[in-house]
Amino acid sequence: MGRDAWRAIRDRISDEIASGVLLPGTRLPTEPELRRIFDTGRHSVRRAMAALAMEGKLRVEQGRGTFVEDAPKLNYHVGRRTRFRQNLRSQGFEPSGETISEEIVPASCRVADALQLAEGAPVHRLLRRDMADGVPINLGFTFQCATRFPDWAALRREGQSVTEAYRAHGIIEYFRRSTSVHSRRAREEEAELLQQHIDQPVLVVRKVDVDRHGVPIGHSEGIWAASRVQFVFDGADDVPLRPHSPQQVALTTDGSS
Amino acid sequence: MGRDAWRAIRDRISDEIASGVLLPGTRLPTEPELRRIFDTGRHSVRRAMAALAMEGKLRVEQGRGTFVEDAPKLNYHVGRRTRFRQNLRSQGFEPSGETISEEIVPASCRVADALQLAEGAPVHRLLRRDMADGVPINLGFTFQCATRFPDWAALRREGQSVTEAYRAHGIIEYFRRSTSVHSRRAREEEAELLQQHIDQPVLVVRKVDVDRHGVPIGHSEGIWAASRVQFVFDGADDVPLRPHSPQQVALTTDGSS
DNA sequence: ACGGATTTGTTCGTATGTATA
DNA sequence: CTATACATACGAACAAATCCG
């Protein structure tokens, strides 16, 4: 190996995964074995493994070994009136999930801002973990004002849907005010819950729902395993773009000068 | 330093950036200096730098040094009828950009699929690079059928907007059919053009536009520096969610069983 | 224009800690 | 408990890019 040993190893293994020589779930040779195979030092092997783990192509487990990732790659349709379960089932994945925590906490700065409450005001915080075929996909926080929705936790615990819980509190119609998406490094707890590499990024999706008067009633924050999901915004948000009004149209990210 | 040297270094520097002790653009001490400061080996220092560079907090340049990143963090509003320039100006950034390449190429599998053409059919491919305050934000590919839009490149070269170019070819109204977002590792050329670390992820945004008959007329693929942008889907795609029809509503990623 | 100094990138070696089987 | 396998840490050398006299 020359001066690009780790890239060569990365690309070689990446190719073998892509071409099907290495099947999902397969265990890779151990580091000493890879060292012999590629006739290189341990650092180069580890650098390549780290890069592939970061992309989500490998799953590295201390004490066990390194495996070809077999996590699902799902298209998650946002903005449609479908539920998580339907969303997954339509793509052949088996949805599951669990409630990790459910408590009343003082609103953080961000939550207070989203819900238009005072910082520190009591809010219901629900944390769920959703999975596809048993593989963690998303950590979902939801926040509702505990004063406005006193029975929220109880209703949700009884198995009521979000919509039903809102209706029980007199809200019969509500709207999505905004959805934002950005990427960041996973915190260590998140990486653990999502069963992904420490250095792998997550996609953070934040939403605010408002009632018919425009008053915020709910805020949610989803932490998604970035390598396992693609978001699709389709259909519903099709807005006709009319070239007739010249200053109002942008289809591409057009910033020529 | 004990057994978590690199995390300690990472967190320490991360804190100093967050608290303003280290200002954007500041040059960090060199590796030998940091080694002495933290009384540790070079590997630990480099591991910490790599982690911070991956998050977009540091910019490492071989032969020059390591700097606190001062790239903009912008909210990019998608789906609105605003242009890239307006989008940036409203947040106080100075937009700029350049056309990197402009040619007719055979359609790749993905492009052919998006535009409903045969694989290998000739398409216009335009590559632009857009920047905010001189920092690269986005690499934007656009694809149009060269047969249907023979004068595309010429019109665009003359400074016509996408909309105007469409109109010149008889299309007076068009729609966004779908938008998808996912994350992946940047390729080396992309990392170079975006001036970001090799291991940093990018956000890939793909769109398909259709005419009034639903026929695809344009496809675009944006490669965004993930650490410099947050996408906001707002306003226009607000669809009333009516709890009255019980099976149709999902506000949270609700997958309880 | 060139060469040496500086700084980061890659590679090799080795030892020890920690989680798993 | 022992063996295996990955995680972290130390040290050293040379390559490549940049800077500066």
Side-chain angles (χ1 to χ4, degrees):
Chain A
M1 285 295 156
R3 333 163 260 304
D4 276 337
W6 76 266
R7 290 167 207 272
I9 298 171
R10 177 196 65 186
D11 294 341
R12 169 78 177 281
I13 293 178
S14 183
D15 286 348
E16 295 201 350
I17 292 173
S19 67
V21 177
L22 286 169
L23 294 173
T26 308
R27 185 181 151 178
L28 258 64
T30 66
E31 285 173 358
E33 285 167 344
L34 287 168
R35 229 185 97 167
R36 282 191 290 275
I37 291 172
F38 290 100
D39 189 28
T40 183
R42 197 182 165 214
H43 280 4
S44 302
V45 171
R46 284 185 59 77
R47 182 70 183 84
M49 297 296 112
L52 290 164
M54 225 171 340
E55 304 180 43
K57 290 182 178 168
L58 296 181
R59 184 167 32 88
V60 184
E61 296 180 38
Q62 184 174 358
R64 292 198 56 207
T66 304
F67 305 84
V68 179
E69 181 64 270
D70 57 355
K73 309 267 189 294
L74 71 90
N75 287 325
Y76 192 82
H77 292 261
V78 181
R80 262 198 201 166
R81 302 189 185 179
T82 50
R83 309 181 59 144
F84 182 80
R85 312 188 62 166
Q86 295 169 340
N87 225 323
L88 263 62
R89 284 228 178 82
S90 67
Q91 290 172 69
F93 298 116
E94 181 59 34
S96 61
E98 56 185 340
T99 298
I100 292 179
S101 72
E102 172 209 305
E103 48 198 336
I104 293 180
V105 298
S108 69
C109 175
R110 173 169 297 119
V111 172
D113 185 58
L115 294 178
Q116 294 288 303
L117 301 171
E119 193 171 338
V123 293
H124 295 284
R125 185 183 67 185
L126 209 73
L127 170 57
R128 286 185 46 79
R129 180 167 67 161
D130 293 310
M131 300 181 261
D133 292 351
V135 179
I137 294 293
N138 172 39
L139 301 175
F141 290 91
T142 56
F143 300 91
Q144 271 83 19
C145 172
T147 307
R148 179 160 184 188
F149 305 103
D151 303 323
W152 187 265
L155 290 168
R156 292 285 283 151
R157 213 167 13 232
E158 287 168 18
Q160 307 252 18
S161 73
V162 169
T163 299
E164 288 163 342
Y166 276 139
R167 186 156 35 165
H169 287 91
I171 291 175
I172 57 171
E173 191 180 53
Y174 55 105
F175 305 82
R176 172 78 28 84
R177 196 183 64 185
S178 67
T179 304
S180 74
V181 181
H182 73 281
S183 167
R184 64 164 169 78
R185 169 174 70 87
R187 302 188 223 287
E188 309 210 3
E189 324 85 67
E190 293 167 349
E192 198 169 350
L193 284 167
L194 290 173
Q195 292 174 22
Q196 68 173 35
H197 191 274
I198 307 178
D199 288 327
Q200 242 183 307
V202 292
L203 290 171
V204 182
V205 180
R206 296 205 183 97
K207 303 170 187 171
V208 176
D209 295 311
V210 298
D211 66 15
R212 69 173 78 183
H213 307 297
V215 177
I217 56 174
H219 174 53
S220 69
E221 179 171 298
I223 314 290
W224 299 74
S227 64
R228 297 174 193 157
V229 69
Q230 169 173 254
F231 293 107
V232 182
F233 301 82
D234 56 358
D237 60 356
D238 274 358
V239 177
L241 304 172
R242 297 174 179 281
H244 307 292
S245 43
Q247 296 174 328
Q248 293 195 335
V249 180
L251 273 196
T252 63
T253 56
D254 179 358
S256 57
S257 52
Chain B
M1 285 293 154
R3 53 195 190 298
D4 271 339
W6 77 265
R7 289 168 207 272
I9 299 171
R10 177 196 65 187
D11 294 340
R12 170 80 176 281
I13 293 178
S14 183
D15 286 348
E16 294 201 351
I17 293 173
S19 67
V21 177
L22 287 169
L23 294 173
T26 309
R27 185 181 154 177
L28 260 64
T30 66
E31 287 172 358
E33 285 168 344
L34 287 168
R35 233 185 94 168
R36 282 190 291 274
I37 292 172
F38 290 101
D39 188 29
T40 183
R42 193 182 171 206
H43 278 4
S44 301
V45 171
R46 285 184 60 74
R47 182 71 182 84
M49 296 298 112
L52 290 164
M54 226 173 335
E55 302 180 43
K57 290 181 178 169
L58 296 181
R59 184 167 33 88
V60 184
E61 296 180 38
Q62 184 174 358
R64 293 199 53 203
T66 304
F67 305 84
V68 180
E69 180 65 90
D70 59 355
K73 310 267 189 292
L74 72 91
N75 288 325
Y76 192 82
H77 291 261
V78 181
R80 261 196 200 169
R81 301 187 186 181
T82 49
R83 310 181 59 145
F84 182 80
R85 312 187 63 164
Q86 295 170 339
N87 224 325
L88 262 62
R89 285 228 177 82
S90 68
Q91 291 172 69
F93 298 114
E94 181 57 35
S96 59
E98 56 185 339
T99 298
I100 293 179
S101 71
E102 172 210 305
E103 47 197 336
I104 293 181
V105 298
S108 69
C109 174
R110 171 169 301 121
V111 172
D113 186 58
L115 294 178
Q116 294 287 304
L117 301 172
E119 193 171 337
V123 293
H124 295 283
R125 185 183 68 183
L126 209 72
L127 170 56
R128 284 185 48 79
R129 181 168 67 162
D130 292 310
M131 300 180 261
D133 291 351
V135 179
I137 294 294
N138 172 40
L139 301 176
F141 290 91
T142 56
F143 300 92
Q144 271 83 21
C145 174
T147 307
R148 180 159 183 188
F149 304 104
D151 303 323
W152 187 265
L155 290 168
R156 293 284 283 153
R157 212 168 15 229
E158 287 168 19
Q160 307 253 16
S161 72
V162 170
T163 299
E164 289 164 340
Y166 277 139
R167 190 159 30 166
H169 287 93
I171 291 174
I172 55 172
E173 190 179 55
Y174 55 105
F175 304 84
R176 173 79 26 85
R177 197 184 64 187
S178 68
T179 303
S180 73
V181 181
H182 73 281
S183 167
R184 64 164 168 77
R185 169 174 69 85
R187 304 190 223 286
E188 309 209 3
E189 323 86 65
E190 293 167 349
E192 198 170 349
L193 284 168
L194 290 172
Q195 291 174 22
Q196 68 172 35
H197 190 274
I198 306 179
D199 288 327
Q200 242 183 309
V202 292
L203 289 172
V204 182
V205 180
R206 296 204 182 98
K207 304 170 186 171
V208 177
D209 295 311
V210 298
D211 65 16
R212 71 174 76 182
H213 307 297
V215 178
I217 56 174
H219 173 52
S220 70
E221 179 171 297
I223 314 289
W224 298 75
S227 64
R228 296 173 194 159
V229 70
Q230 169 173 259
F231 293 107
V232 182
F233 302 82
D234 58 356
D237 60 355
D238 275 357
V239 177
L241 304 172
R242 296 173 180 280
H244 306 293
S245 42
Q247 296 173 327
Q248 292 195 335
V249 181
L251 272 197
T252 63
T253 56
D254 179 356
S256 56
S257 50

